[in-house]
Amino acid sequence: MESVELKVEMVGIHEKRLRKCLSKLKGIEKVEVDTNSQKVVVTGYTHKNKVLKAVRRGGLKADFWSAQNELLQAYAGGGVAYSTFRFSTFNFF
């Protein structure tokens, strides 16, 4: 049995669409969706490229989960609001 971790851009009702796309594949045992981190873990007896292709056919933006995503998630959820930093433009002339 193989686990495939995907980063899927989910907004609103996309979780229902995601589960519908994956239900068409044979060999899928379990689908875990974390909407906060946009992480999907698919467990079953199917090839990881088929899983990715099925999600993309459903109209969702998806890619394989990487260590970089873990790092970004750690910074975003670490209690520090990095998105509130603003840079002002300076005129040097």
Side-chain angles (χ1 to χ4, degrees):
M1 192 163 3
E2 183 179 353
S3 290
V4 180
E5 295 179 342
L6 300 172
K7 178 173 175 51
V8 181
E9 194 174 297
M10 290 188 291
V11 180
I13 198 162
H14 286 174
E15 183 177 352
K16 185 176 180 181
R17 186 190 303 176
L18 173 75
R19 290 188 185 274
K20 185 177 179 181
C21 295
L22 292 175
S23 69
K24 296 177 183 179
L25 288 177
K26 293 182 180 180
I28 300 289
E29 297 276 326
K30 183 170 52 168
V31 177
E32 298 174 28
V33 179
D34 184 8
T35 54
N36 292 336
S37 62
Q38 298 185 352
K39 183 176 182 178
V40 177
V41 180
V42 180
T43 307
Y45 297 100
T46 187
H47 196 271
K48 63 181 184 177
N49 289 336
K50 287 186 179 182
V51 174
L52 181 63
K53 194 173 184 178
V55 172
R56 286 182 176 172
R57 272 192 193 149
L60 298 170
K61 293 182 182 180
D63 206 358
F64 293 114
W65 190 265
S66 67
Q68 181 182 9
N69 294 334
E70 292 285 343
L71 183 63
L72 291 173
Q73 203 55 32
Y75 280 117
V80 179
Y82 287 99
S83 61
T84 59
F85 289 127
R86 294 186 181 180
F87 297 98
S88 60
T89 57
F90 294 103
N91 290 330
F92 292 108
F93 301 104

